[in-house]
């Protein structure tokens, strides 16, 4: 049997198994306290997630199929489903990809990476720290994937010049694991840092009618990033003790930077527009414009005559439409789980587990559950769409502000640093510098630190910001 035939047979078997699972759940008696619609919604999101994880079908097509099954299963009407799909997160995601592409087209991404490499002065540990801190800071306002992709080529050149062999070099492991971890941490910093942040805010508003501003989120997220990134650096450098102290290849980096010359016109234009976008984000409480609107209009600026950084031709292929479909379908599925009563049913069992426990205990337990959920469900939007409605229900049952439990989910869903199943660590894993199981060695400790830092910052700053 050819490899193609074997893979085709495996995909067909997985597809049939998931469909069979859905039919079994659909036909089973409805558990006490759960509505028929609730059972169907849980079956749909479970099987959709399994389909995404299996790769039996393209993720974008699975997302569209899940959306179209909502009215067929009697969970909503077709117009209602269209309303659920076209949430603000859709426009934000398209615009964020446009902004990331503008950075690349302007050429500023390469200049930034070279400057950071030279700032290490050839010291191996210093470069690791600079790379991780800069990746975290940039990821607050740029896509995590964009930050990793712009940094990776320079790191690979330095590692090659220094003689760090893939799979053997501890320093190679440290920097290739540290980079995606730092980008994931930085993505929590502001709502603009990750689509799952905006998704969390969207689901929170849909389920509990609570609005959290850009500034409120950032006042929690930025301190978490600034505290957690150095801790993650320390863990990575201790677990994978670098075998080198000095770097080679700095001469190449300097010559490349010199060849770039002074800032080009497109680079200057990008800096001005990006500063303007950030300013508008930070003043959301004054003008009241949602982040989806301001980011979209900010992205349009890159296409204007006289600016001309982007054209649709050099942009359309850099928008990850399949990811957008996945996130938007998760918004719809998460809302249906809430509306059908399924979230309330699950929350009842969680409430019994957490009954009488303090808020700190609740945050730590919830944080560990969210972080380790990546081992069975590496699709972050799905985790948000399942757990935010449940957290809101648990919080209201305990007399707590739903945002107190929902916002930490947005922070902790980024903690995909146990094994490289998330797309961001997968990019670095593909370089061959570390094995899949090796990420767990540092990830185990980073997750614990992640949960404790998020809990601590929430307890200290949450009351000040009116979130608790």
């Amino acid at each position: 049997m050819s490899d193609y035939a074997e893979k085709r047979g495996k995909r067909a078997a997985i597809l049939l198994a998931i469909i069979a699972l859905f039919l079994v759940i659909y036909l089973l008696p409805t558990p006490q306290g759960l509505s028929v619609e609730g059972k169907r919604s849980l079956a749909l999101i479970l099987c959709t997630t399994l389909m995404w994880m299996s790769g039996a079908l393209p993720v974008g097509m699975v997302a569209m199929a899940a959306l179209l099954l909502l009215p067929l299963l009697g969970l909503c009407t077709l117009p209602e489903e269209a309303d659920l799909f076209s949430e603000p997160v859709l426009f934000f995601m398209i615009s964020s990809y446009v902004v990331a592409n503008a950075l690349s087209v302007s050429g500023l991404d390469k200049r930034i990476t070279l400057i950071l490499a030279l700032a290490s002065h050839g010291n191996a540990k210093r470069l690791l720290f600079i790379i991780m801190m800069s990746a975290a800071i940039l990821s607050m306002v740029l896509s995590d994937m964009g930050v990793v992709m712009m940094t990776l080529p320079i790191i690979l050149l330095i590692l090659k010049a220094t003689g760090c062999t893939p799979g053997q070099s501890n320093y190679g492991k440290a920097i290739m694991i540290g980079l995606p971890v730092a980008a994931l941490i930085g993505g929590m910093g502001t709502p603009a840092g990750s689509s799952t942040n905006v998704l969390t805010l969207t689901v929170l508003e849909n389920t509990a009618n609570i609005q959290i501003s850009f500034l409120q989120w950032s006042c929690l997220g930025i301190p978490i990033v600034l505290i957690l990134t150095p801790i993650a650096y320390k863990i990575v450098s201790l677990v994978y003790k670098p075998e080198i102290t000095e770097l080679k290849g700095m001469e190449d980096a300097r010559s490349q930077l010199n060849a770039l010359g002074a800032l080009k016109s497109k680079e200057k234009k990008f800096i001005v527009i990006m500063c303007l976008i950030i300013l508008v984000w930070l003043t959301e409480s004054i003008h009241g414009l949602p982040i989806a609107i301001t980011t979209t209009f900010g992205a349009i600026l890159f296409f204007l005559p006289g600016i001309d950084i982007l054209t649709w031709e050099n942009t359309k292929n850099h928008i990850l439409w399949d990811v957008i479909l996945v996130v938007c379908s998760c918004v719809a599925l998460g809302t249906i789980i809430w509306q059908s009563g399924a979230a309330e049913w699950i929350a009842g069992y969680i409430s019994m587990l957490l009954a009488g426990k303090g808020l700190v205990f609740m945050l730590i337990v919830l944080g560990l559950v969210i972080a380790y959920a990546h081992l069975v469900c590496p699709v972050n939007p799905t985790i948000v769409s399942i757990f935010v409605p449940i957290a809101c229900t648990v919080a209201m049952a305990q007399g707590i502000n739903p945002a107190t439990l929902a916002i930490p989910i947005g922070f902790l869903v980024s903690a995909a640093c146990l094994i490289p199943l998330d797309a961001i660590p997968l990019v670095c894993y593909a370089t061959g510098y570390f094995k899949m199981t090796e990420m767990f060695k540092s990830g185990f400790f980073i997750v614990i630190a992640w949960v404790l830092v998020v809990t601590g910052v929430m307890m200290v700053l949450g009351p000040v910001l009116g979130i608790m």
Side-chain angles (χ1 to χ4, degrees), residues 120-128 162 164 171 241-248 250:
S120 70
H121 299 294
N123 183 286
K125 281 192 173 182
R126 186 183 297 166
L127 177 65
L128 175 60
T162 309
C164 295
Y171 186 68
K241 292 181 180 178
E243 74 280 12
I244 58 172
T245 55
E246 298 298 319
L247 297 167
K248 299 175 183 176
M250 290 296 104

Side-chain angles (χ1 to χ4, degrees), residues 31-264:
Q32 186 177 359
L34 180 65
S35 66
V36 173
E37 292 78 12
K39 184 185 74 170
R40 291 175 183 175
S41 66
L42 290 175
L44 180 59
I45 197 165
L46 170 64
C47 293
T48 301
T49 302
L50 290 174
M51 199 72 78
W52 281 329
M53 292 171 63
S54 71
L57 291 173
V59 292
M61 299 307 296
V62 173
M64 287 195 291
L67 285 166
L68 293 174
L69 280 171
L70 290 175
L72 292 177
L73 293 171
L75 299 174
C76 66
T77 65
L78 194 57
E80 287 171 342
E81 180 244 323
D83 286 341
L84 292 174
F85 177 83
S86 57
E87 288 285 350
V89 67
L90 167 68
F91 305 100
F92 167 76
M93 290 189 68
I94 294 173
S95 302
S96 65
Y97 287 130
V98 171
V99 173
N101 187 48
L103 173 66
S104 176
V105 172
S106 71
L108 189 61
D109 58 342
K110 186 175 183 180
R111 186 183 298 274
I112 291 171
T113 308
L114 289 168
I115 290 171
L116 293 174
L118 289 170
S120 70
H121 299 294
N123 183 286
K125 281 192 173 182
R126 186 183 297 166
L127 177 65
L128 175 60
F129 179 77
I130 289 172
I131 288 294
M132 290 185 68
M133 282 304 300
S134 59
I137 291 169
L138 288 171
S139 291
M140 292 187 195
V141 292
L142 298 171
S143 75
D144 300 348
M145 182 63 78
V147 170
V148 170
M149 292 304 293
M150 79 180 212
T151 310
L152 194 57
I154 302 299
I155 291 177
L156 287 171
L157 286 174
I158 293 171
L159 289 176
K160 185 177 179 181
T162 309
C164 295
T165 306
Q168 298 178 20
S169 167
N170 260 7
Y171 186 68
K173 293 174 186 176
I175 204 164
M176 282 301 175
I177 290 173
L179 171 61
V181 166
L184 289 167
I185 292 172
M188 298 184 295
T190 72
S194 171
S195 60
T196 54
N197 299 347
V198 180
L199 178 61
T200 301
L201 296 176
T202 301
V203 177
L204 175 62
E205 185 175 355
N206 287 350
T207 54
N209 198 29
I210 292 176
Q211 292 183 327
I212 301 298
S213 71
F214 187 97
L215 192 57
Q216 281 178 303
W217 179 290
S218 302
C219 285
L220 290 168
I222 292 175
I224 292 172
V225 172
L226 296 179
I227 295 169
L228 185 57
T229 307
I231 294 174
Y233 156 75
K234 196 66 179 177
I235 291 171
V236 167
S237 60
L238 286 174
V239 173
Y240 315 102
K241 292 181 180 178
E243 74 280 12
I244 58 172
T245 55
E246 298 298 319
L247 297 167
K248 299 175 183 176
M250 290 296 104
E251 299 78 8
D252 269 353
R254 185 168 298 281
S255 63
Q256 287 183 50
L257 182 61
N258 290 337
L260 291 177
L263 281 172
K264 305 295 189 295

